[in-house]
C-alpha cells in the first residue's frame, strides 16, 4: 500500500503574528516558517504505518511557494520516501488544493491519504474533507487512533463530548488531531539522506487546476485589544471585584 | 432565496449551537429553513420548529443519518442545496466534519468559523489562532459557512411556529460505517455554552488535584471545567475538556484560569471571554496580559480559599 501525505508551509506556531499596517494581511517577511504541526503528525503516522509493514511507500506533497521544498525535505528526513512540490504563486485555497491532491492520489494509486486537521495560518479545517468528497471516498477526520485491518481502516475520532470510531473502506482520507502521535525529530544523517531523495516539481496547470478562488480577503485587522487588567492582592479582593465591579458572580 | 441551517442534535434534542447558527442566518437575512437529519429525530424537528425566526423544518429521518456520518449527511445537504443561497452549520466537530464535503460536492469554496456577518456575501473570521481577523468576500452563488457559535447570541428556543416537512431522501456512500462511541460523562454544564468556566493547567500536577481543587470551585459557581493542552497531554483530564485553537472555543461571562501560562494556542480558545481571571504564581506569564484580574498566588492555597469564600 502507498500513503500520500500533504504538508503545508506555515508560520512557525511559536511566532506571534503581526498584522501589516495597511491591513492587507499578516507580515510574513523574515518570519520563521515550518511544517504545519498537524501535518507533522500526519507524516509521523505514515512513517509508523510503514515501519509496521502496512505501507510500502510514503509520498509527501506540498502546494505553495517554491520555498515549500524545505518542508518537503523536512518530511523526507522524518521518513518520507519521495516528494511532489506543486509550485503556486497564488495563495492556495482548500478547494484548489483538494483538486490537485485528488489528481496526485489517483495517479499514484495511494490507499491512505493523510492530512493535518487544519493549517494554523488560515484555520480552515476543510482540505481533507473536500478531498474525500471529490474522490467519493470515506473520511476519518480529527483522528486520534488509526488501525488498518485488511481492506479497511478503523479511525477513532475526537468529537465534542468524547470519541467516535468509524470504519472506512480503503482508499480513505484521514486528518490528524494532536493526540494521534508524538512526531519524531529528524536526525542529522537522515537530513543529509533526505537531500538525495526524489523531489518532482509540478505546477497547478499540470493537473488542470486553476488556482484563482472566488474568495477575496478585503482586509485583515488585529483583534480588539482587551483593556489592561489589574493585579489583585488577595482572594477577598478578587471576590469583591468579581461581585461588585465585574458583577459576574 | 432562503437560507438552510443544519440542525445539531443527538436524535433526542436540539443542541443550543443550532440557535446560535440561526442567529447568524438572521443577520444574513431571508427565510430560514432548518434541516434535521437523524434517526428517530421527530422530537428534534418539533423543537427546531419552535425556534425564533424559523419558517420551515425539513426532517430527513433514516438510519443512514443516525450517527451524522459526514459522507451521507453531505450528500443529503448537497442534494437539497439547490433551493438555497446560503447553507450554514455550527462550527462544532459535526459541522466541521461534513460541511467542507458539501462545498466540494457543490464545487464552491467555503468559509469556516465566521465570527461576523458584514453582508450576505461578506463575512469576518479569525485566522492565525485568533491573532488576526479577516474580512472575506465571496462571489460564489452558494455560500457555504460554518458559524463560530460563541460569536452570535442564540435566538429564542420558543415562540416560532414553523411547519415540519418530512423528506424522503436517503443517501448512503457505503464507504464508511459507525463502529462505536465513547462519550465522557459529565453532570456539569457543557463547556462551550457555560456561563462560567474554570480551567486548570500543568501546574495542577495531577488528575487528583483537578478533582480536589478545580472541581469544587466549578461546582460552587455552576461552572464547566476546562483545561489547557498541557493538562490534557499529561493525562490529568480527558481531551474533550481542552480549551484552545485545537480544542474548544469558549466565550463565557467569566473564565478562571488556574495554573495556566497562557500560550498563544490556549488564548485562541478563551480570549473573547467577558471577564478573565488568572491565578498564577508567575506574574510574567502571558496569561497576565489578557487577564482582567490577576491574582499572584499559589493555586493550591488560593483555590480552596476562593471556593470557601464564594
Amino acid at each position: 500500500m502507498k500513503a500520500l501525505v500533504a504538508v503545508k508551509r506555515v508560520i512557525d506556531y511559536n511566532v506571534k503574528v503581526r498584522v501589516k499596517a495597511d491591513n492587507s494581511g499578516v507580515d510574513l517577511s523574515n518570519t520563521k516558517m515550518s511544517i504545519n504541526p498537524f501535518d507533522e503528525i500526519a507524516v509521523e503516522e505514515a512513517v509508523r504505518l510503514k515501519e509496521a509493514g502496512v505501507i510500502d511507500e510514503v509520498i509527501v506533497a506540498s502546494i505553495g511557494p517554491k520555498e515549500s521544498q524545505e518542508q518537503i525535505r523536512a518530511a523526507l528526513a522524518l521518513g518520507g520516501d519521495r516528494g511532489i512540490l506543486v509550485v503556486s504563486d497564488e495563495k492556495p485555497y482548500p478547494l484548489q488544493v483538494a483538486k490537485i491532491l485528488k489528481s496526485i492520489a489517483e495517479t499514484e494509486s495511494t490507499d491512505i491519504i493523510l492530512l493535518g486537521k487544519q493549517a494554523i495560518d488560515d484555520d480552515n479545517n476543510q482540505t481533507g474533507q473536500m478531498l474525500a468528497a471529490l474522490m467519493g471516498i470515506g473520511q476519518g477526520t480529527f483522528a486520534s487512533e488509526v488501525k488498518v485491518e485488511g481492506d479497511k481502516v478503523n479511525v477513532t475520532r475526537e468529537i465534542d463530548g468524547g470519541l467516535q470510531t468509524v470504519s472506512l473502506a480503503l482508499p480513505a482520507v484521514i486528518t490528524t488531531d494532536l493526540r494521534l502521535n508524538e512526531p519524531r525529530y529528524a536526525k542529522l544523517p537522515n537530513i543529509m539522506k533526505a537531500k538525495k531523495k526524489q523531489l518532482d516539481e509540478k505546477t497547478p496547470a499540470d493537473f488542470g487546476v486553476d488556482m484563482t478562488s472566488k474568495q477575496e480577503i478585503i482586509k485583515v485587522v488585529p483583534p480588539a485589544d482587551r483593556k489592561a487588567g489589574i493585579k489583585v492582592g488577595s482572594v477577598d479582593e478578587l471576590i469583591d471585584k468579581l461581585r461588585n465591579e465585574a458583577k459576574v458572580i | 432565496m432562503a437560507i438552510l441551517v443544519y440542525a445539531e442534535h443527538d436524535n433526542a434534542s436540539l443542541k443550543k449551537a443550532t440557535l446560535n447558527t440561526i442567529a447568524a442566518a438572521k443577520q444574513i437575512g431571508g427565510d430560514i429553513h432548518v434541516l434535521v437529519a437523524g434517526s428517530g429525530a421527530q422530537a428534534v424537528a418539533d423543537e427546531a420548529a419552535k425556534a425564533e425566526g424559523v419558517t420551515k423544518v425539513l426532517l430527513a429521518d433514516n438510519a443512514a443519518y443516525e450517527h451524522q456520518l459526514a459522507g451521507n449527511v453531505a450528500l443529503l445537504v448537497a442534494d437539497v442545496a439547490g433551493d438555497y443561497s446560503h447553507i450554514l452549520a455550527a462550527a462544532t466537530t459535526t459541522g466541521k466534519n461534513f460541511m467542507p464535503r458539501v462545498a466540494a460536492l457543490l464545487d464552491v469554496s467555503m468559509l469556516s468559523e465566521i465570527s461576523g456577518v458584514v453582508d450576505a456575501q461578506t463575512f469576518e473570521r479569525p485566522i492565525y489562532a485568533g491573532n488576526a481577523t479577516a474580512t472575506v468576500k465571496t462571489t460564489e452563488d452558494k455560500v457555504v459557512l460554518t458559524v463560530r457559535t460563541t460569536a452570535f447570541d442564540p435566538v429564542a428556543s420558543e415562540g416560532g411556529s414553523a411547519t415540519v416537512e418530512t423528506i424522503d431522501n436517503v443517501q448512503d456512500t457505503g464507504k464508511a460505517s459507525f463502529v462505536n462511541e465513547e462519550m465522557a460523562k459529565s453532570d456539569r454544564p457543557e463547556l462551550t455554552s457555560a456561563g462560567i468556566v474554570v480551567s486548570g493547567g500543568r501546574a495542577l500536577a495531577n488528575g487528583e488535584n483537578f478533582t480536589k481543587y478545580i472541581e469544587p470551585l466549578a461546582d460552587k459557581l455552576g461552572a464547566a471545567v476546562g483545561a489547557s493542552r498541557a493538562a490534557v497531554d499529561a493525562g490529568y483530564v480527558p481531551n474533550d475538556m481542552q480549551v484552545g485553537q485545537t480544542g474548544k472555543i469558549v466565550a463565557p461571562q467569566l473564565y478562571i484560569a488556574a495554573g495556566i501560562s497562557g500560550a498563544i494556542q490556549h488564548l485562541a480558545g478563551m480570549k473573547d471571554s467577558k471577564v478573565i481571571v488568572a491565578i498564577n504564581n508567575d506574574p510574567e506569564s502571558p496569561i497576565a496580559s489578557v487577564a482582567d484580574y490577576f491574582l499572584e498566588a499559589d493555586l493550591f492555597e488560593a483555590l480552596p480559599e476562593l471556593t470557601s469564600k464564594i
Side-chain angles (χ1 to χ4, degrees):
Chain A
M1 285 207 271
K2 278 204 250 184
L4 173 65
V5 187
V7 299
K8 185 177 185 184
R9 174 184 173 87
V10 297
I11 191 166
D12 188 84
Y13 75 100
N14 277 316
V15 174
K16 179 116 176 74
V17 300
R18 275 181 306 119
V19 172
K20 285 187 198 164
D22 64 358
N23 294 131
S24 63
V26 164
D27 192 358
L28 294 179
S29 54
N30 304 316
T31 310
K32 187 182 174 205
M33 304 295 278
S34 306
I35 298 186
N36 179 45
F38 292 100
D39 303 348
E40 221 169 8
I41 295 169
V43 172
E44 175 67 30
E45 195 65 16
V47 172
R48 287 187 190 190
L49 287 170
K50 189 180 167 189
E51 287 167 350
V54 177
I55 293 287
D56 307 308
E57 187 183 29
V58 176
I59 303 166
V60 180
S62 190
I63 294 121
K66 199 158 171 83
E67 293 80 19
S68 302
Q69 61 171 289
E70 292 165 22
Q71 279 62 46
I72 295 185
R73 291 286 176 208
L76 297 179
L78 295 173
D81 293 299
R82 64 186 163 93
I84 300 173
L85 170 62
V86 182
V87 179
S88 169
D89 298 328
E90 295 212 49
K91 175 180 164 65
Y93 279 88
L95 184 62
Q96 284 73 17
V97 170
K99 286 177 180 178
I100 293 172
L101 291 175
K102 172 183 191 269
S103 241
I104 296 174
E106 287 175 352
T107 312
E108 299 282 353
S109 306
T110 51
D111 303 281
I112 292 181
I113 306 148
L114 283 152
L115 300 88
K117 80 164 176 182
Q118 74 190 61
I120 59 161
D121 50 2
D122 291 331
D123 281 334
N124 276 320
N125 195 333
Q126 298 174 3
T127 308
Q129 293 91 313
M130 287 180 161
L131 173 60
L134 294 173
M135 294 181 73
I137 60 177
Q139 68 179 46
T141 53
F142 327 143
S144 59
E145 197 181 347
V146 173
K147 274 190 191 152
V148 178
E149 286 166 4
D151 58 353
K152 288 193 184 292
V153 58
N154 272 12
V155 179
T156 301
R157 310 177 49 235
E158 298 204 6
I159 59 169
D160 294 333
L163 298 170
Q164 179 193 64
T165 304
V166 291
S167 169
L168 310 169
L170 294 174
V173 170
I174 297 166
T175 75
T176 62
D177 216 320
L178 281 173
R179 228 71 49 188
L180 182 58
N181 60 46
E182 185 95 25
R184 69 193 67 187
Y185 289 98
K187 295 196 182 85
L188 186 59
N190 293 345
I191 295 171
M192 301 311 288
K193 274 184 217 152
K195 290 184 178 170
K196 296 202 180 74
K197 289 182 180 172
Q198 183 187 344
L199 203 172
D200 297 323
E201 208 173 293
K202 305 266 188 191
T203 67
D206 293 335
F207 303 95
V209 174
D210 176 4
M211 292 301 278
T212 52
S213 172
K214 288 192 175 177
Q215 282 183 17
E216 185 199 350
I217 295 172
I218 293 174
K219 64 171 179 184
V220 175
V221 296
D225 275 336
R226 294 186 70 93
K227 68 171 174 53
I230 57 164
K231 213 167 151 182
V232 291
S234 67
V235 167
D236 290 318
E237 190 187 344
L238 176 62
I239 293 173
D240 176 62
K241 294 282 185 195
L242 291 178
R243 280 216 173 104
N244 302 317
E245 193 176 272
K247 296 189 169 55
V248 285
I249 56 170
Chain B
M1 288 268 262
I3 299 171
L4 185 69
V5 170
Y6 185 85
E8 177 100 14
H9 64 88
D10 56 4
N11 291 314
S13 63
L14 190 70
K15 293 267 173 77
K16 187 173 154 270
T18 313
L19 302 176
N20 302 85
T21 311
I22 293 169
K26 276 183 83 174
Q27 288 189 21
I28 295 168
D31 268 2
I32 298 170
H33 297 181
V34 173
L35 172 65
V36 177
S39 178
Q42 181 69 44
V44 179
D46 293 341
E47 215 178 323
K50 288 190 205 127
E52 180 198 338
V54 177
T55 53
K56 189 155 89 172
V57 175
L58 303 174
L59 172 62
D61 209 319
N62 191 278
Y65 307 128
E66 186 179 356
H67 300 289
Q68 315 280 323
L69 289 177
N72 301 355
V73 167
L75 286 174
L76 169 71
V77 176
D79 198 50
V80 300
D83 300 331
Y84 298 97
S85 61
H86 294 72
I87 304 163
L88 276 65
T92 56
T93 49
T94 308
K96 289 174 181 175
N97 192 31
F98 80 88
M99 276 296 251
R101 274 191 94 112
V102 172
L105 292 172
L106 299 172
D107 195 26
V108 298
S109 57
M110 141 175 195
L111 282 157
S112 294
E113 295 219 25
I114 60 155
S115 56
V117 176
V118 178
D119 61 41
Q121 303 290 129
T122 316
F123 304 90
E124 290 169 351
R125 59 178 303 267
I127 54 175
Y128 291 92
N131 286 300
T133 304
T135 304
V136 187
K137 186 178 171 61
T138 173
T139 50
E140 300 283 7
D141 298 335
K142 282 201 189 307
V143 180
V144 179
L145 305 169
T146 55
V147 175
R148 174 165 288 195
T149 53
T150 54
F152 296 90
D153 290 329
V155 297
S157 59
E158 296 284 338
S161 56
T163 52
V164 178
E165 190 181 300
T166 305
I167 55 171
D168 186 20
N169 189 331
V170 183
Q171 305 278 352
D172 195 341
T173 62
K175 305 279 173 133
S177 58
F178 173 84
V179 179
N180 68 357
E181 215 161 61
E182 266 177 72
M183 303 307 269
K185 289 185 190 68
S186 173
D187 301 327
R188 295 193 181 83
E190 202 188 359
L191 190 53
T192 50
S193 57
I196 302 178
V197 173
V198 182
S199 280
R202 194 197 307 268
L204 266 297
N206 58 50
E208 291 78 59
N209 284 340
F210 253 83
T211 316
K212 199 166 149 196
Y213 294 93
I214 298 285
E215 290 180 9
L217 177 60
D219 290 341
K220 199 126 185 213
L221 290 166
V225 176
S228 69
R229 185 179 168 202
V232 171
D233 277 351
Y236 305 165
V237 291
N239 52 30
D240 54 288
M241 284 168 61
Q242 186 186 326
V243 172
Q245 185 181 20
T246 62
K248 301 223 166 61
I249 312 286
V250 300
Q253 291 291 307
L254 172 61
Y255 188 90
I256 301 177
I260 294 177
S261 66
I264 296 171
Q265 292 77 15
H266 185 74
L267 300 184
M270 45 64 78
K271 67 186 166 60
D272 291 326
S273 305
K274 187 161 168 278
V275 174
I276 297 172
V277 170
I279 302 171
N280 206 298
N281 57 13
D282 177 10
E284 301 298 317
S285 60
I287 193 84
S289 68
V290 300
D292 298 281
Y293 303 109
F294 186 88
L295 176 63
E296 183 183 344
D298 178 351
L299 62 90
F300 295 115
E301 286 163 21
L303 286 176
E305 189 184 345
L306 188 58
T307 307
S308 68
K309 286 182 175 170
I310 275 179

